[in-house]
Amino acid sequence: MEYFRKLTVWGKLAGPDGVNKRMKKSTVFIIFTLMLFLAGPAFGGPDGQPIDCAHSTMAVYVYKTGILSTLGHNHEIEAPIEWGEVKGSENSSVELRINSSKLRVLDTEVSGDTRATIQATLQGAEVLDVGHFPEIHFKSAGVEPSGTDHWVIHGNLDLHGQTHPISFEVTLRDGLYEGTALLKQSTFGIIPIRVAGGTVKVKDEIKVVFSIALLK
């Protein structure tokens, strides 16, 4: 009651024009607030949220090719995220780091010895060269909204001692940021593995699939 009594006194002092102007401003503010509320979740939080590494996944898929590709097989590699952070607001961003020595070959259709050989090749000088390049790092340069709970991320990837721009799409689904990125090994100075004179080899293009959770 006290609020309405003050409002009545203020209205008499301000006059009808002043009241109308202030009511219009209040209405605009309320509508703007409702629009923000109904817009749904933004990309991350305004102050930055750490990535929940324990509940986030990232996998790399390398596919066979060549004349005798039936003799080879596809590769699935686990790439656990070491650290990461996602920020929202007007300057939305995402950054993450991966320890290259922790990538693990998951190929289930081969023997343990073969898997160990592939693992050694992955970490060796021919591919990741983890002794010289122990970290894989991505940092966004821009986050572009492209629909409800959907964004296009533009940024730079540091891999195998080289930095190149990449872009990929991200969708927020059931509290997880999910997406797929396509990369070419040769772009980062990695020569796709070939055996038997090149008749058995892997494709230059690889697929990275991720599902990222944020700490609350």
Side-chain angles (χ1 to χ4, degrees):
M1 292 298 294
E2 181 63 24
Y3 169 79
F4 289 108
R5 189 179 298 111
K6 290 181 179 180
L7 183 63
T8 301
V9 173
W10 168 78
K12 290 180 180 179
L13 293 175
D17 291 339
V19 173
N20 289 336
K21 289 180 180 179
R22 284 175 170 79
M23 288 185 69
K24 287 180 180 178
K25 290 182 179 180
S26 298
T27 302
V28 171
F29 175 77
I30 292 171
I31 292 174
F32 178 70
T33 303
L34 286 173
M35 288 175 65
L36 290 177
F37 177 78
L38 295 174
F43 185 82
D47 299 324
Q49 290 179 266
I51 289 177
D52 186 350
C53 299
H55 296 92
S56 300
T57 60
M58 181 174 292
V60 180
Y61 295 91
V62 184
Y63 300 102
K64 61 186 178 181
T65 186
I67 299 174
L68 300 179
S69 60
T70 53
L71 300 178
H73 56 274
N74 300 321
H75 303 292
E76 180 181 0
I77 302 166
E78 180 184 49
I81 299 172
E82 189 86 357
W83 173 89
E85 184 180 62
V86 174
K87 293 183 180 180
S89 73
E90 294 180 357
N91 298 315
S92 298
S93 65
V94 57
E95 183 177 5
L96 57 86
R97 300 178 186 276
I98 296 172
N99 185 332
S100 59
S101 66
K102 292 186 178 181
L103 270 69
R104 289 290 177 267
V105 176
L106 302 179
D107 302 355
T108 57
E109 71 275 20
V110 300
S111 66
D113 290 342
T114 300
R115 189 161 50 250
T117 299
I118 298 171
Q119 179 73 37
T121 302
L122 172 69
Q123 296 185 343
E126 294 180 354
V127 186
L128 293 178
D129 197 358
V130 298
H132 290 94
F133 313 113
E135 184 178 82
I136 300 170
H137 175 237
F138 173 79
K139 186 173 184 179
S140 67
V143 177
E144 177 186 349
S146 61
T148 304
D149 296 340
H150 195 92
W151 302 267
V152 177
I153 311 296
H154 306 280
N156 294 301
L157 177 65
D158 301 326
L159 172 63
H160 195 246
Q162 296 193 23
T163 303
H164 295 284
I166 65 171
S167 297
F168 51 90
E169 296 183 355
V170 175
T171 300
L172 178 61
R173 184 181 294 109
D174 297 328
L176 297 173
Y177 292 92
E178 301 177 341
T180 299
L182 298 176
L183 312 173
K184 285 190 175 182
Q185 300 178 71
S186 58
T187 300
F188 296 89
I190 299 174
I191 300 175
I193 298 173
R194 303 184 180 194
V195 296
T199 56
V200 179
K201 57 186 178 180
V202 298
K203 292 182 178 180
D204 188 9
E205 186 176 74
I206 62 176
K207 181 169 70 172
V208 181
V209 179
F210 57 85
S211 178
I212 294 177
L214 302 182
L215 287 174
K216 298 179 180 179

